[in-house]
Amino acid sequence: MAATTLVAVGGKGTNPKTTLYVGGLEESVNEATLHAAFLPFGEIKEVNIPLDHATGTHRGFGFVEYEEKEDAAAAIDNMHNAELFGRVLKVNYAQPMKIKGGDKGWSHLPVWADTDRYIEELDAENELDEYEKEQRKQQAKEGAANAAADGAEQPAAPASS
């Protein structure tokens, strides 16, 4: 029985289903090494290993973008939990970068572009808070009414002299 890979929606590159995240890279791995390791699975469009600007070294992960989504799926099937230079790799579909835009390219939008959604969420939260306050008040009133009714039904205690 052949293993199957579920194709996730979302991703980093031009086609989200063709870009892979590769985590767990050993310090000496460079883009050429990563390219060579993933080349057997298909035509590679781009290999990128982001560098830490403070140290000048990579941060232990990279991205491999394939020409075809079937090649990316084959690479995940074969390379996830595989070993490269003594380190176990984590390979899956890359997720969109939220800060730099993701699927919609938000990086070119003004900061206030999301204001309407934010205000709607805030209004919904406030409405929920008000509803919960009303519920607590109603429960307190019912509790006080029940306590008063219970007190009226009980016979008065005899007065002690």
Side-chain angles (χ1 to χ4, degrees):
M1 182 174 175
T4 59
T5 299
L6 296 176
V7 177
V9 177
K12 184 176 177 340
T14 54
N15 181 347
K17 297 173 184 167
T18 60
T19 304
L20 305 180
Y21 163 86
V22 182
L25 298 178
E26 198 266 335
E27 293 82 22
S28 66
V29 173
N30 58 24
E31 290 179 356
T33 308
L34 197 58
H35 187 276
F38 281 81
L39 187 59
F41 307 105
E43 191 67 33
I44 294 176
K45 191 182 227 180
E46 182 182 7
V47 175
N48 181 14
I49 301 179
L51 295 179
D52 182 355
H53 297 294
T55 63
T57 60
H58 69 74
R59 300 175 349 208
F61 66 91
F63 299 97
V64 177
E65 184 175 1
Y66 282 94
E67 293 286 339
E68 302 292 328
K69 63 184 177 183
E70 293 80 13
D71 297 340
I76 290 175
D77 285 342
N78 289 284
M79 295 299 284
H80 182 64
N81 291 328
E83 195 174 305
L84 180 65
F85 289 162
R87 300 276 299 269
V88 176
L89 299 179
K90 179 181 178 184
V91 181
N92 51 36
Y93 291 103
Q95 297 299 312
M97 293 179 60
K98 302 296 183 201
I99 261 177
K100 292 190 178 176
D103 295 337
K104 297 181 182 173
W106 291 334
S107 64
H108 70 280
L109 295 177
V111 176
W112 58 87
D114 231 10
T115 303
D116 291 339
R117 185 180 59 81
Y118 172 75
I119 289 173
E120 287 173 6
E121 289 175 0
L122 194 59
D123 288 345
E125 286 179 23
N126 290 338
E127 191 175 316
L128 184 61
D129 289 345
E130 288 298 319
Y131 176 75
E132 289 173 351
K133 283 181 189 175
E134 289 298 320
Q135 290 294 103
R136 286 194 295 268
K137 284 182 185 177
Q138 187 65 28
Q139 288 172 351
K141 283 181 184 177
E142 289 173 2
N146 289 341
D150 288 344
E153 292 175 10
Q154 294 179 357
S160 60
S161 34

